């Protein structure tokens, strides 16, 4: 018997679709009470799943812990109460700056339950990346670990709004004045907690995403996003009772919250988390050990699995897998074909963004997959491609245009924090522009072409050139710089920097390495240029703007395009 045979078709799901369907299943409305923290824990307990495992967690050394939905409920209450005891107020931003440890997941729910806004950031961020985002958000509290607190200490005096530095795994005696220890296991368990009476439009999560110009933008989401995240997780990831679900994304990235916390838990599904980096052998062993049924991954990881061949997959018992999905970058047709060979199942591509909050264009289980295509819009999402000059929908199938969505779906970003202009700039003719190009074929399938700006997509993570160039400029040898994407077989794109040097410096291998490390420490390993080319000058427009597209085209072996506005060298 195949579960796939009984699934509704795409057309059946689209016919008469209304988000009210999801509202009814969740018992919420846009105007009424809705709190993601409560929905992901208390409600599941009320439905009789209190003792079901919610989180099966394992660290890099293989040590593990299991938390039931009742544990999630009580421990998130405990963190919520702890934050209240520090006078953290509803609406304030509380940053989660941790590896993928249980406190990160439970803390996320706790912050939402007491009405504050969760701001998850990658623990790999160096102090500059951290500072930019905490400063922009006016963050008042940060929850972190002993191993990362030194980065907070370096910037704290430049963060006047930051009142609380909370460390989950340190004894008070080892902390500095103004820091607070929060050992979750040692705190009195809070059985009953009055959840903040949030309604649909109450802010919930602030996720930072990189853009071409200026600093990263804080995409502000609201509790009503649950309505999209719940249903897309159920339909696209095909979550069903009894599933063991694995999303290998970090909650510093929107995938790790929308589908690494909210989607599965609002559906009452057990999820596994592995707090360790990529390793093919280890990952297969993890799937086999926990009998994972649904796996949500990314092309960059799939390419690494492919590199290690089908043989390695065949050495493990991966027969528990039922459904595979991918997000973050274009999923190459080869990857879909390979996964059928390796696992007997295709990866299903899903397209979305930090700003969309949920999957918007996708291949459903049961829907015929065209390898290399992103699939079709999720019901309730009106998607098209627009002519880049008129911003009117392209009418000829196969013509490339700008991917655009009609605003109004529940998890759409409500604003960019402190940056209303940046938000307004994303709309044309009543459409939200994703910043990507695609074509649509006669069957309504979307085919991704590329991003239409300078943002670098490295292994599914967007890195803005601005931040990298700013860090480069702080190095004493660097006069000017431009960061562009360079093709890479595993990460799709990596950062390459072009640098002009100040007088007296020589661009040799030692200096290249020194500058690379300098950026890695300040920003993150992802933002570190994999190559630095020292050049005499950078291509610029007559108005003095660096034209990254010229440098990028050379890296990709593509035509440089119109150079009429370029300054002569
Ligand atoms: O360029 C698209 C690419 O990732 C961008 C969104 O990145 P971010 O906000 O970090 O969120 C990623 C995960 C939700 C998109 O504008 N992208 C994402 N998924 C796909 C994709 N490109 C091609 N195919 C996809 N499936």
């Amino acid at each position: 018997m195949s579960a796939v045979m009984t699934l509704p078709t795409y057309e059946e799901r689209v016919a008469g679709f209304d988000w009210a369907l999801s509202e009814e299943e969740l018992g919420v409305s846009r105007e009424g009470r809705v709190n993601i923290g409560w929905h992901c824990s208390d409600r599941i307990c009320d439905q009789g799943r209190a003792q079901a495992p919610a989180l099966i967690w394992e660290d890099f050394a293989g040590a593990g812990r299991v938390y039931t939905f009742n544990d999630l409920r009580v421990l998130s209450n405990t963190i919520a109460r702890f934050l209240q005891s520090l006078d953290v107020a509803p609406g304030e931003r509380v940053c989660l700056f941790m590896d993928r440890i249980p406190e990160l997941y439970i803390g996320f729910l706790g912050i939402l339950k007491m009405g504050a806004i969760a701001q998850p950031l990658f623990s790999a961020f160096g102090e500059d990346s951290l500072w930019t985002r905490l400063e922009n958000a006016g963050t008042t509290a940060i929850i972190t670990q002993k191993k990362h607190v030194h980065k907070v200490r370096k910037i704290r005096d430049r963060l006047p709004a930051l009142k609380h530095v909370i460390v989950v795994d340190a004894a008070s005696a080892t902390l500095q004045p103004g820091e607070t220890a929060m050992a979750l296991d040692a705190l009195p368990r809070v059985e009953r907690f009055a959840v903040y009476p949030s309604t649909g439009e109450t802010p919930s999560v602030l996720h930072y995403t990189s853009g071409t110009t200026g600093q990263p933008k804080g995409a502000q989401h609201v509790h009503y996003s649950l309505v999209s995240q719940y249903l897309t997780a159920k339909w696209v990831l095909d979550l069903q009772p009894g599933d063991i679900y694995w999303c290998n994304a970090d909650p510093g990235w929107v995938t790790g919250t929308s589908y690494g916390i909210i989607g599965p838990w609002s559906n009452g599904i057990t999820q596994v988390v592995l707090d360790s980096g990529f390793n093919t052998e280890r990952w297969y062993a993890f799937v086999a050990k926990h009998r994972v049924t649904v796996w949500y991954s990314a092309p960059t990881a799939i390419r690494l699995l492919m590199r290690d061949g089908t043989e390695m997959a065949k050495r493990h018992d991966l027969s528990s897998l039922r459904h595979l999905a991918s997000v973050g970058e274009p999923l190459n047709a080869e990857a879909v074909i390979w996964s059928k060979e390796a696992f007997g199942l295709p990866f299903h591509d899903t397209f979305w963004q930090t700003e969309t909050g949920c999957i918007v264009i996708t291949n459903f289980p049961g829907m015929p997959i065209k390898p290399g295509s992103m699939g079709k819009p999720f019901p309730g999402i009106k998607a098209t491609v627009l002519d880049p000059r008129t911003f009117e929908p392209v009418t000829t199938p196969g013509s490339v245009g700008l991917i655009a969505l009609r605003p109004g779906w529940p998890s759409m970003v409500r604003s960019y924090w402190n940056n209303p202009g940046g938000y307004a700039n994303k709309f044309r003719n009543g459409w939200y522009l994703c910043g990507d190009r695609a074509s649509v074929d006669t069957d309504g399938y979307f085919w991704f072409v590329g991003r239409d700006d300078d943002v670098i997509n490295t292994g599914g993570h967007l890195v803005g050139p601005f931040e990298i160039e700013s860090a480069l400029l702080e190095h004493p040898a660097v006069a000017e710089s431009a960061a562009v994407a360079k093709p890479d077989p595993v990460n799709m794109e990596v950062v390459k920097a072009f640098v002009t040097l100040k007088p007296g410096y020589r661009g040799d291998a030692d200096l290249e390495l020194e500058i690379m490390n300098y950026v890695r420490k300040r920003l993150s390993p992802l933002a570190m240029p994999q190559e630095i080319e020292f050049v005499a000058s950078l291509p610029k427009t007559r108005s003095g703007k660096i034209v990254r597209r010229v440098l990028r085209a050379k890296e990709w072996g593509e035509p440089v395009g119109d150079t009429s506005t370029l300054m002569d060298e």
Side-chain angles (χ1 to χ4, degrees):
M1 188 199 77
S2 158
V4 169
M5 300 301 285
T6 59
L7 289 169
T9 62
Y10 179 75
E11 288 69 26
E12 282 165 348
R13 283 184 150 147
V14 169
F17 178 87
D18 197 308
W19 289 111
L21 171 75
S22 181
E23 290 186 345
E24 268 163 42
E25 288 189 18
L26 289 162
V28 302
S29 68
R30 201 185 275 262
E31 296 73 31
R33 289 275 172 88
V34 38
N35 186 290
I36 290 174
W38 182 84
H39 265 86
C40 290
S41 56
D42 298 54
R43 182 169 185 266
I44 307 301
C45 295
D46 293 349
Q47 291 174 333
R49 304 254 305 142
Q51 296 314 321
L55 173 64
I56 301 175
W57 174 82
E58 210 171 284
D59 73 5
F60 57 92
R65 250 184 106 163
V66 178
Y67 295 80
T68 63
F69 278 99
N70 192 53
D71 292 330
L72 279 194
R73 182 184 72 78
V74 173
L75 294 173
S76 57
N77 286 348
T78 307
I79 294 183
R81 177 71 57 76
F82 185 83
L83 291 171
Q84 283 179 337
S85 75
L86 296 177
D87 281 338
V88 174
E92 291 187 350
R93 278 71 60 212
V94 179
C95 173
L96 293 154
F97 187 56
M98 285 174 272
D99 296 349
R100 278 175 272 173
I101 57 172
E103 286 86 346
L104 170 59
Y105 297 81
I106 299 167
F108 182 86
L109 302 184
I111 292 167
L112 298 181
K113 276 186 170 179
M114 51 78 61
I117 302 174
Q119 183 193 11
L121 293 178
F122 289 110
S123 60
F125 276 154
E127 66 265 18
D128 283 6
S129 292
L130 184 62
W131 180 82
T132 305
R133 291 157 178 83
L134 296 180
E135 197 272 339
N136 180 266
T139 309
T140 48
I142 182 167
I143 309 180
T144 189
Q145 288 168 274
K146 209 162 40 185
K147 67 196 268 205
H148 298 301
V149 73
H150 67 277
K151 295 186 257 189
V152 185
R153 284 176 185 160
K154 279 195 191 149
I155 53 176
R156 191 165 181 188
D157 60 349
R158 291 190 288 134
L159 293 167
L162 188 66
K163 289 184 283 191
H164 307 286
V165 175
I166 301 161
V167 187
V168 296
D169 55 355
S172 300
T174 63
L175 295 178
Q176 296 189 354
E179 295 171 354
T180 313
M182 184 189 76
L184 193 50
D185 287 336
L187 291 176
R189 285 165 68 93
V190 176
E191 285 291 332
R192 302 261 161 265
F193 179 79
V195 172
Y196 181 74
S198 44
T199 55
E201 292 302 308
T202 305
S204 56
V205 183
L206 190 59
H207 262 300
Y208 276 78
T209 178
S210 292
T212 320
T213 51
Q215 299 291 3
K217 299 188 284 273
Q220 194 227 293
H221 290 281
V222 296
H223 282 270
Y224 188 65
S225 69
L226 174 68
V227 169
S228 304
Q229 289 151 346
Y230 163 82
L231 198 68
T232 47
K234 185 170 170 178
W235 286 9
V236 181
L237 303 176
D238 193 30
L239 297 180
Q240 300 174 17
D243 268 330
I244 305 289
Y245 166 72
W246 185 27
C247 166
N248 56 250
D250 187 301
W253 191 38
V254 69
T255 308
T257 55
S258 289
Y259 298 104
I261 299 180
I262 306 171
W265 283 345
S266 62
N267 275 281
I269 299 293
T270 302
Q271 66 163 331
V272 289
V273 167
L274 177 61
D275 181 18
S276 110
F278 181 86
N279 178 302
T280 309
E281 195 78 59
R282 179 79 211 282
W283 278 28
Y284 287 150
F286 186 73
V287 169
K289 174 177 171 189
H290 296 290
R291 307 292 298 152
V292 171
T293 55
V294 179
W295 185 8
Y296 197 20
S297 196
T300 182
I302 300 166
R303 284 190 290 270
L304 288 170
L305 299 175
M306 288 168 75
R307 192 189 59 185
D308 289 330
T310 46
E311 278 317 301
M312 201 183 277
K314 303 258 188 269
R315 282 208 298 275
H316 295 265
D317 176 7
L318 306 177
S319 60
S320 55
L321 290 171
R322 185 188 83 245
H323 185 58
L324 310 176
S326 160
V327 63
E329 303 160 57
L331 180 66
N332 325 68
E334 304 90 85
V336 177
I337 294 159
W338 177 84
S339 82
K340 280 197 203 161
E341 267 170 45
F343 311 118
L345 300 166
F347 267 98
H348 291 68
D349 196 7
T350 70
F351 168 88
W352 57 294
Q353 305 182 299
T354 305
E355 286 87 345
T356 68
C358 75
I359 294 164
V360 289
I361 299 175
T362 185
N363 292 281
F364 283 90
M367 167 178 152
I369 294 182
K370 297 191 186 187
S373 157
M374 309 196 292
K376 297 189 186 192
F378 187 84
I381 302 284
K382 189 167 179 212
T384 190
V385 297
L386 300 180
D387 182 309
R389 282 154 305 161
T390 61
F391 298 105
E392 291 297 332
V394 165
T395 46
T396 326
S399 312
V400 174
L402 312 173
I403 305 180
L405 308 170
R406 197 56 104 191
W409 68 97
S411 65
M412 181 180 183
V413 59
R414 296 302 197 266
S415 66
Y416 289 131
W417 195 266
N418 252 333
N419 183 0
Y423 189 64
N425 211 13
K426 301 286 287 191
F427 297 87
R428 294 285 184 289
N429 274 356
W431 293 96
Y432 164 79
L433 303 184
C434 293
D436 293 297
R437 285 170 197 247
S439 65
V440 184
D441 69 16
T442 43
D443 297 325
Y445 281 71
F446 281 64
W447 297 79
F448 188 80
V449 172
R451 286 194 61 78
D452 59 6
D453 59 20
D454 293 329
V455 174
I456 302 157
N457 187 332
T458 177
H461 294 270
L462 301 189
V463 182
F466 181 77
E467 230 185 338
I468 303 168
E469 290 162 12
S470 307
L472 283 166
L473 279 187
E474 286 175 39
H475 189 280
V478 175
E480 273 191 314
S481 70
V484 301
K486 169 186 147 136
D488 181 78
V490 168
N491 287 307
M492 189 173 87
E493 296 179 350
V494 289
V495 178
K496 173 167 178 182
F498 291 84
V499 163
T500 64
L501 291 173
K502 288 187 185 148
Y505 288 94
R506 222 167 53 115
D508 56 18
D510 285 347
L511 184 61
E512 182 182 12
L513 199 64
E514 185 191 309
I515 298 176
M516 283 174 175
N517 274 320
Y518 184 83
V519 176
R520 181 178 58 81
K521 277 177 71 187
R522 292 179 158 246
L523 301 180
S524 73
L526 282 174
M528 181 185 87
Q530 301 291 318
E531 185 187 334
I532 295 176
E533 187 174 326
F534 297 107
V535 290
S537 66
L538 295 170
K540 290 186 184 156
T541 61
R542 287 170 204 282
S543 60
K545 272 199 196 131
I546 295 173
V547 190
R548 299 186 194 90
R549 120 185 110 75
V550 170
L551 298 166
R552 189 183 182 284
K554 282 190 192 142
E555 293 305 311
W556 292 75
E558 288 169 358
V560 171
D562 176 27
T563 52
S564 56
T565 59
L566 285 194
M567 210 155 55
D568 299 322
E569 302 236 328

